[in-house]
């Protein structure tokens, strides 16, 4: 499993913050409450070392 570059701030809204640049975004949730593929990536393509 790859390391997640974002941290989940609020599981009810899906709000996440990037651990590298600090950008916030809201993850897309599927029906049933699971996160869509790519939700744990930063929108600026940040990478963890």
């Amino acid at each position: 499993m790859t390391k997640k570059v974002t941290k989940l701030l609020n599981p009810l809204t899906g709000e996440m913050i990037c651990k590298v640049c600090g950008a916030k975004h809201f993850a897309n949730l599927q029906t049933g409450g699971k996160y869509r593929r790519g939700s744990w990536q930063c929108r600026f393509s940040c990478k963890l070392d």
Side-chain angles (χ1 to χ4, degrees), residues 10-47:
N10 187 341
L12 297 176
T13 63
E15 184 179 12
M16 297 187 174
I17 188 168
C18 177
K19 295 176 186 175
V20 178
C21 71
K24 291 184 181 179
H25 75 278
F26 290 91
N28 294 325
L29 296 173
Q30 294 178 351
T31 305
K34 291 188 178 183
Y35 294 101
R36 292 193 186 272
R37 185 176 185 177
S39 293
W40 292 90
Q41 297 173 353
C42 178
R43 63 181 170 192
F44 299 115
S45 301
C46 295
K47 305 272 186 220

